[in-house]
Amino acid sequence: KAGVTQTPRYLIKTRGQQVTLSCSPISGHRSVSWYQQTPGQGLQFLFEYFSETQRNKGNFPGRFSGRQFSNSRSEMNVSTLELGDSALYLCASSLFRALQETQYFGPGTRLLVL
Amino acid sequence: AQTVTQSQPEMSVQEAETVTLSCTYDTSENNYYLFWYKQPPSRQMILVIRQEAYKQQNATENRFSVNFQKAAKSFSLKISDSQLGDTAMYFCASMRVDSNYQLIWGAGTKLIIKP
């Protein structure tokens, strides 16, 4: 069974632009969570989607948004990019919310904002 | 709010030795999970081991085991017979088991296994 895939793997943007990252969960998994990883702040929870609905959101500004499609694929969008948005963005999937204790992570998308 | 603390930024041991990574956490919840994740240089985050807080028995996965001290809110990871492939960042994390399914992460420990 294929693992969690994230596209693109690397991205370079400039301040003020917007970006969309994609995550395809493991087949059959319905829950997708997003995390931001930076050297300074470490790993921080962005949001969680289940059955096309955002169930939980971390402490990030409204510039960070996401959505989930009927096939459980998820996208996250960051508008008006800032230098501090440079990070590795990790997506994780799990079968159901109640089984979120087993999350499987994708390889991440490394975003560089210039 | 939940917090997770890893006090060892970096550790290194010789191959085949045993190493213990420390983790302490703070939570007011009674029902929660604790995890150790491994992130090798390739960046793919991998679950190493997990522990349900209501279970007194320490979790074990092959060469990996935990020492879960609930009263002390301590959750250390022991790696026995360490291998070169164990070189990675190790993150301790906790998760409340309620409507708020999010992982709270420690800052990580960089583990280097030397040949």
Side-chain angles (χ1 to χ4, degrees):
Chain A
K1 188 182 276 190
V4 179
T5 58
Q6 292 186 246
T7 57
R9 292 293 310 278
Y10 303 93
L11 207 50
I12 300 175
K13 292 286 187 178
T14 56
R15 280 180 298 175
Q17 287 187 309
Q18 75 166 19
V19 66
T20 299
L21 312 182
S22 180
C23 171
S24 293
I26 292 172
S27 178
H29 283 197
R30 295 171 57 190
S31 175
V32 173
S33 296
W34 288 88
Y35 296 88
Q36 181 196 64
Q37 185 175 21
T38 61
Q41 299 297 317
L43 281 150
Q44 293 184 288
F45 172 78
L46 278 158
F47 26 63
E48 176 220 345
Y49 286 88
F50 179 76
S51 292
E52 303 176 62
T53 302
Q54 187 181 91
R55 303 291 178 156
N56 197 11
K57 190 177 191 301
N59 189 26
F60 278 81
R63 300 185 296 108
F64 291 82
S65 63
R67 59 178 175 170
Q68 187 180 35
F69 302 94
S70 58
N71 61 358
S72 295
R73 188 177 70 85
S74 177
E75 289 181 347
M76 67 163 281
N77 183 276
V78 188
S79 61
T80 320
L81 283 166
E82 300 177 0
L83 295 179
D85 297 333
S86 294
L88 180 69
Y89 290 88
L90 296 171
C91 161
S93 77
S94 58
L95 199 56
F96 297 109
R97 295 198 78 218
L99 292 177
Q100 279 237 4
E101 68 273 16
T102 305
Q103 293 192 20
Y104 297 87
F105 283 80
T109 294
R110 180 162 295 282
L111 171 66
L112 177 62
V113 181
L114 302 176
Chain B
Q2 285 185 308
T3 59
V4 177
T5 303
Q6 293 178 252
S7 59
Q8 304 151 313
E10 184 169 326
M11 296 184 71
S12 65
V13 297
Q14 295 294 136
E15 190 177 9
E17 289 184 345
T18 294
V19 59
T20 299
L21 309 183
S22 301
C23 173
T24 58
Y25 62 95
D26 189 19
T27 181
S28 58
E29 304 294 322
N30 288 320
N31 199 11
Y32 53 91
Y33 288 97
L34 297 167
F35 308 85
W36 279 98
Y37 278 90
K38 167 185 176 181
Q39 190 177 38
S42 66
R43 295 289 187 174
Q44 189 96 28
M45 191 78 76
I46 303 166
L47 177 65
V48 175
I49 200 166
R50 75 170 190 243
Q51 174 84 40
E52 291 89 340
Y54 64 88
K55 290 187 177 179
Q56 292 185 330
Q57 186 174 8
N58 289 326
T60 299
E61 287 288 343
N62 301 312
R63 298 183 295 108
F64 299 87
S65 62
V66 297
N67 183 5
F68 176 43
Q69 301 289 327
K70 190 171 184 178
K73 295 183 179 176
S74 171
F75 183 61
S76 61
L77 174 69
K78 185 173 82 171
I79 306 174
S80 304
D81 185 27
S82 58
Q83 301 173 359
L84 296 178
D86 295 332
T87 293
M89 284 291 293
Y90 286 81
F91 294 94
C92 178
S94 68
M95 178 190 283
R96 290 162 46 181
V97 183
D98 54 16
S99 60
N100 186 357
Y101 293 101
Q102 63 171 277
L103 285 166
I104 306 299
W105 300 86
T109 296
K110 183 177 182 180
L111 177 63
I112 299 169
I113 309 299
K114 298 180 287 187

